[in-house]
Amino acid sequence: MIRFENVTKRYADGTTAVDDLSFEVGEGELVTLVGPSGCGKTTTMKMVNRLIEPTSGRIFLDGDDISGIDPVQLRRRIGYVIQQVGLFPHKTVLDNTATVPHLLGVRRAKARERAAELLDLVGLDPATFGDRYPEQLSGGQRQRVGVARALAADPPVLLMDEPFGAVDPVVREHLQNEFLRLQQAVRKTVLFVTHDIEEAVRLGDRIAVYGNGRIEQFDTPSTVLGAPATEYVADFVGADRGLKRLSVTPIEVGDLEQPPVVHLDDPLPKDLEGEGARWAVVLDGENNLHGWLSAEHARVGTGTVREQARRMEAWLPVGASLKQAFSTMLQHDAGWIAVIDEKSEGRFLGVLTPARLHEALRRSTAADARDIAREDVELETVASVAGA
Ligand SMILES: Nc1ncnc2c1ncn2[C@@H]1O[C@H](COP(=O)(O)OP(=O)(O)OP(=O)(O)O)[C@@H](O)[C@H]1O
Ligand SMILES: [Mg+2]
């Protein structure tokens, strides 16, 4: 969808802001550009909508070389969100959001109708906020109006330059989550600039880690964190990357332990300890998770499992992140959590223990290292076939 081919930007004073950049962003893909201040992120972005012209190299949008597209036409296909939002102070929130469609010749009433839908989509009730002016909004609310406005002309491409940079961490996380949900629905092709590796990891399908004017690594979040391509990337993603990996590694069925399982209407199992277990998982008639039973309660009770079973609050669907698993354990002060299959009405799949969580983390690091090796092999094969 967006393709950079050997793009260099040298400013008049000799600064090389971007140096021989080549990469591609697929349709509906969200790529985050992350790197320290001055490394060329904004320059990269502004070349896509021709606010800045490259010194050499070419940029393609949907297969068309953008140097041949009239900039005004081009920008209609590209929504642009900037850090300072840039709302018109003298226009209401609704009119701000309706600006672009209105400029594109959509009738005012129609444009405002669409604007109201978009405000709703970004979590601002148009009845409450539509008639306010930007100064009457919080920073986070202004950011949302900025996103709504960028979406208003329904462009296939969105450029977002530190759109959540100006808000505090709590609001920022909230906006990130909302934006992810929104992106699930609208599936735009997005270039998203940030300073913040956490943000890059949370939002990006892939991440481009910038060094000075160059991309040091362009890969999935889990590979960037688990197998940094260079020393520079390793430093940039930080020593606590194992922790960050938790948030991008999903729980898989193979990670789970299979403890003893009993059903609600079974008689109490008298000798769980004898089988080496301190507890069992309790399922209902549908094999859905009900709770758990301690060996001790099983021993002292008389009737069925139902009488002694405890409800289990610490559970997650398979596919949830290891980070969620970890925080669920902490929250419930639990030594393990149950994992269920939400798709088949909560069928119990197994349990995740801290030891298994650790293994899963190592597994995902190793898998990423293998993936990189495999890609290298394929590249070599392609090159040798091409050369033959
Ligand atoms: N008009 C200009 N003339 C000369 N140099 C410029 C110009 N605009 C940007 N630069 C330089 O180009 C480099 C890249 O700038 P750019 O704005 O792309 O960085 P950035 O990665 O977006 O940084 P930040 O994270 O601080 O926004 C910087 O060294 C900057 O000083
Ligand atoms: Mg910038």
Side-chain angles (χ1 to χ4, degrees):
M1 185 74 185
I2 303 173
R3 191 165 86 246
F4 274 62
E5 251 181 43
N6 306 104
V7 175
T8 294
K9 174 65 190 180
R10 208 164 288 119
Y11 286 108
D13 66 358
T15 308
T16 304
V18 167
D19 187 12
D20 195 28
L21 210 60
S22 297
F23 66 89
E24 189 164 351
V25 183
E27 190 169 343
E29 189 179 24
L30 197 166
V31 169
T32 48
L33 312 182
V34 66
S37 188
C39 67
K41 305 180 297 290
T42 296
T43 303
T44 303
M45 187 149 282
K46 286 186 169 172
M47 288 192 290
V48 177
N49 60 7
R50 296 192 64 186
L51 289 172
I52 294 176
E53 296 292 343
T55 311
S56 62
R58 297 198 297 173
I59 301 169
F60 297 86
L61 186 69
D62 227 358
D64 301 326
D65 185 335
I66 63 165
S67 67
I69 305 174
D70 172 59
V72 176
Q73 295 288 337
L74 179 69
R75 284 171 209 153
R76 287 184 184 169
R77 292 158 66 179
I78 302 176
Y80 188 34
V81 188
I82 52 174
Q83 172 161 6
Q84 296 314 330
V85 189
L87 298 179
F88 301 114
H90 57 283
K91 283 191 178 184
T92 65
V93 163
L94 196 65
D95 285 333
N96 259 293
T97 311
T99 305
V100 182
H102 192 50
L103 283 177
L104 293 178
V106 176
R107 275 188 308 111
R108 191 178 150 90
K110 190 85 196 147
R112 297 187 62 159
E113 205 176 291
R114 167 94 181 124
E117 285 170 22
L118 284 160
L119 288 174
D120 212 26
L121 197 66
V122 297
L124 292 175
D125 174 18
T128 311
F129 295 101
D131 293 331
R132 291 207 197 164
Y133 290 89
E135 62 171 15
Q136 299 168 312
L137 300 179
S138 74
Q141 289 163 344
R142 274 198 289 266
Q143 300 281 7
R144 289 180 215 191
V145 179
V147 173
R149 191 175 62 175
L151 288 169
D154 200 18
V157 175
L158 273 186
L159 305 178
M160 307 180 79
D161 197 345
E162 308 215 27
F164 310 142
V167 292
D168 68 72
V170 176
V171 175
R172 179 182 248 226
E173 188 167 333
H174 195 67
L175 288 171
Q176 289 168 350
N177 287 338
E178 280 181 354
F179 180 66
L180 276 179
R181 212 169 308 129
L182 187 64
Q183 169 65 357
Q184 299 281 339
V186 299
R187 279 279 155 218
K188 302 293 181 189
T189 303
V190 186
L191 269 185
F192 188 110
V193 164
T194 176
H195 273 96
D196 174 6
I197 184 72
E198 294 272 7
E199 181 163 81
V201 163
R202 288 191 75 187
L203 298 182
D205 296 314
R206 287 189 296 164
I207 305 178
V209 182
Y210 272 61
N212 208 354
R214 306 190 73 112
I215 292 180
E216 298 270 335
Q217 187 169 15
F218 188 68
D219 216 317
T220 58
S222 64
T223 303
V224 170
L225 295 178
T230 63
E231 200 70 17
Y232 172 88
V233 176
D235 276 354
F236 189 75
V237 302
D240 60 341
R241 66 174 190 270
L243 275 180
K244 288 173 190 143
R245 278 186 71 77
L246 284 173
S247 60
V248 295
T249 308
I251 303 171
E252 291 176 6
V253 175
D255 299 331
L256 305 179
E257 224 164 89
Q258 299 299 332
V261 165
V262 292
H263 286 84
L264 277 174
D265 295 319
D266 291 347
L268 281 164
K270 285 300 172 194
D271 195 21
L272 273 176
E273 278 152 326
E275 295 164 34
R278 300 204 333 271
W279 46 271
V281 169
V282 179
L283 304 182
D284 65 15
E286 255 90 61
N287 282 331
N288 293 338
L289 178 71
H290 175 86
W292 63 290
L293 172 71
S294 75
E296 197 179 336
H297 284 117
R299 191 155 32 78
V300 300
T302 47
T304 61
V305 167
R306 188 184 295 277
E307 291 161 18
Q308 297 292 335
R310 306 280 183 85
R311 294 302 289 206
M312 181 70 192
E313 307 294 341
W315 59 269
L316 282 174
V318 66
S321 69
L322 296 181
K323 183 174 174 187
Q324 281 172 287
F326 190 46
S327 77
T328 304
M329 278 179 199
L330 292 178
Q331 189 188 337
H332 294 282
D333 194 18
W336 53 278
I337 57 169
V339 177
I340 63 166
D341 182 1
E342 268 186 335
K343 289 205 188 75
S344 63
E345 285 151 21
R347 192 167 54 88
F348 170 74
L349 295 172
V351 306
L352 191 72
T353 59
R356 288 301 181 98
L357 191 149
H358 185 220
E359 268 174 44
L361 196 60
R362 301 219 325 241
R363 177 234 335 134
S364 94
T365 313
D368 283 332
R370 275 201 305 282
D371 277 347
I372 287 174
R374 197 174 63 224
E375 279 166 22
D376 286 345
V377 170
E378 280 170 6
L379 281 177
E380 266 175 39
T381 315
V382 170
S384 66
V385 168

